[in-house]
Amino acid sequence: MLIAVPLDRLGWSAFYSQQLTLEDLGAGFPARVCSVQRSQLTVLSERGSLDVVVPPRLAEGSIAIGDWLLVELEAPRVLRLLERRSLISRMAAGVEQRLQAIAANLDTLFVVTSCNDDCNLSRLERYFTLARHGQVEPVIVLTKADLCADVESFAAQARSIAGNIAVLTLNATEHASADALAPWLARGQTVAFVGSSGVGKSTLVNALLAQETQATSAIREHDAKGRHTTTSRQMFALPSGAWVMDTPGMRELKLGSMEAAVSTVFDDIEALARNCRFRDCQHGDDAGCALHAAVVDGRLDARRLSSYQKLQREAERASQSVRERRAIDRRWGRMHRVTSKQRGPGTSRE
Ligand SMILES: Nc1nc2c(ncn2[C@@H]2O[C@H](COP(=O)(O)OP(=O)(O)O)[C@@H](O)[C@H]2O)c(=O)[nH]1
Ligand SMILES: [Mg+2]
Ligand SMILES: [Zn+2]
């Protein structure tokens, strides 16, 4: 595991190097997070792979798989988290309502579904929103084309909501079909696969891994059957020179404050909505609602409209909870200052 990896092979670019001063480079070196297991971080760099220690000032959980770090030359300590070019995040489960970083510096998100009942357009729209919000390019992959009598109707449905997003149809069990993914798998590119269980994500990754015999296996942690031997978040190399992120947390992704991304994904609906008679139109079935009219005369799919409204509400609720939490934090802050003052100097709880 002490394999050194050239920076460009790891996805390094001017975007990151311009964040570092000569002073930074005198104190540390850049390294990319390739495995996150609880609080254990492993990085890859020109100096090989190593486990690094995260200082308390970088809160636990704030560093994600794929992140670029400045690591101290003298000791394996993280000096700095570099600004991300992209980030997939979601609302954390539970009452806490915090945004959770899932995957950093990802180039492409392959949204995988099959040419069967699994193909759910509203779920695809949710993934598009998460990808657009995170500055990641989504690509739709429709698997099991070999088992379907009407592949074109699935492809057409996907294209109807895809805008300029690429739509691929393939048989994941055929190694050659993985060639279709090649344009997104150049050296240094980072990709991830999302989609329901059973749609062929592992099969696709295995096809990609098998494409060349001389696999860069240093960081591969698959057993003979292609199953993962760990459940942590990790990143592994493909023969093409690209990286695949394996992130179990990608299944149930709740939206954070992503209203702008919802607007981007549904720009067709937003364009129609400008013709609603009232500026604060709730897009119900009232006269004067351009969306309602478009559904009635068949220009707009009722499913797409309700998907848009659902995601928009979800994003708005997330923004609202962020605002509420800030207000609560402010109140607590005020109270804390008051109590510290009452106790007099030097008796602060911190
Ligand atoms: N015929 C056919 N079978 C597929 C295809 N993609 C996946 N499968 C099969 O579907 C099952 C689930 O695939 P898997 O890769 O484990 O799905 P995952 O849960 O998304 O990782 C396996 O038995 C695969 O062989 C495909 O394109 N064509
Ligand atoms: Mg799998
Ligand atoms: Zn309306």
Side-chain angles (χ1 to χ4, degrees), residues 11-277:
W12 185 252
S13 69
F15 177 84
Y16 307 107
S17 57
Q18 71 198 11
Q19 297 179 44
L20 297 178
T21 62
L22 281 175
E23 199 177 39
D24 284 332
L25 292 168
F29 62 93
R32 194 163 186 206
V33 178
C34 68
S35 164
V36 180
Q37 210 163 12
R38 292 203 191 86
S39 56
Q40 181 62 63
L41 287 188
T42 308
V43 299
L44 283 172
S45 73
E46 286 180 325
R47 296 163 166 259
S49 91
L50 70 161
D51 294 344
V52 293
V53 177
V54 182
R57 75 187 152 75
L58 285 172
E60 195 186 324
S62 64
I63 299 178
I65 182 90
D67 263 325
W68 277 101
L69 306 172
L70 184 68
V71 175
E72 201 175 323
L73 281 165
E74 302 296 326
R77 264 196 301 258
V78 178
L79 290 172
R80 197 138 75 72
L81 168 64
L82 299 196
E83 192 193 323
R84 294 151 169 158
R85 212 193 38 208
S86 72
L87 177 70
I88 297 284
S89 54
R90 65 158 179 192
M91 277 313 252
V95 286
E96 247 207 296
Q97 298 280 302
R98 275 178 201 281
L99 214 55
Q100 194 177 27
I102 300 281
N105 302 317
L106 197 63
D107 296 290
T108 306
L109 186 68
F110 289 113
V111 180
V112 188
T113 179
S114 303
C115 298
N116 58 28
D117 286 348
D118 184 75
C119 185
N120 177 317
L121 299 182
S122 303
R123 191 169 60 225
L124 296 185
E125 286 160 345
R126 169 179 299 271
Y127 281 128
F128 297 168
T129 305
L130 288 151
R132 291 302 191 205
H133 177 78
Q135 309 293 322
V136 177
E137 179 189 359
V139 171
I140 304 174
V141 182
L142 285 163
T143 58
K144 310 199 182 182
D146 56 309
L147 302 177
C148 174
D150 195 8
V151 177
E152 188 40 45
S153 84
F154 283 94
Q157 275 186 60
R159 280 196 295 267
S160 76
I161 60 159
N164 56 0
I165 297 167
V167 179
L168 312 175
T169 57
L170 49 79
N171 170 1
T173 64
E174 236 175 35
H175 286 183
S177 65
D179 289 345
L181 274 51
W184 294 274
L185 300 177
R187 179 181 159 98
Q189 292 285 299
T190 309
V191 305
F193 293 82
V194 292
S196 341
S197 169
V199 295
K201 298 180 297 295
S202 302
T203 307
L204 265 175
V205 170
N206 285 329
L208 294 170
L209 285 169
Q211 273 184 328
E212 250 171 58
T213 45
Q214 213 197 6
T216 318
S217 58
I219 325 115
R220 256 175 77 182
E221 291 185 43
H222 284 120
D223 66 15
K225 293 198 175 110
R227 284 186 307 226
H228 280 277
T229 51
T230 72
T231 51
S232 66
R233 292 176 183 175
Q234 56 183 343
M235 212 171 81
F236 54 90
L238 291 179
S240 72
W243 297 87
V244 176
M245 277 182 186
D246 190 33
T247 56
M250 289 270 212
R251 250 159 254 149
E252 284 273 308
L253 297 175
K254 219 177 134 204
L255 300 194
S257 316
M258 303 179 181
E259 290 94 330
V262 175
S263 300
T264 307
V265 171
F266 295 93
D267 58 356
D268 54 334
I269 294 187
E270 300 241 331
L272 285 171
R274 279 177 216 122
N275 300 320
C276 288
R277 194 189 318 164

Side-chain angles (χ1 to χ4, degrees), residues 273 276-278 281-284 286 288-292:
C276 288
R277 194 189 318 164
F278 304 105
C281 185
Q282 296 302 300
H283 312 310
D286 19 302
C289 175
L291 300 188
H292 179 64

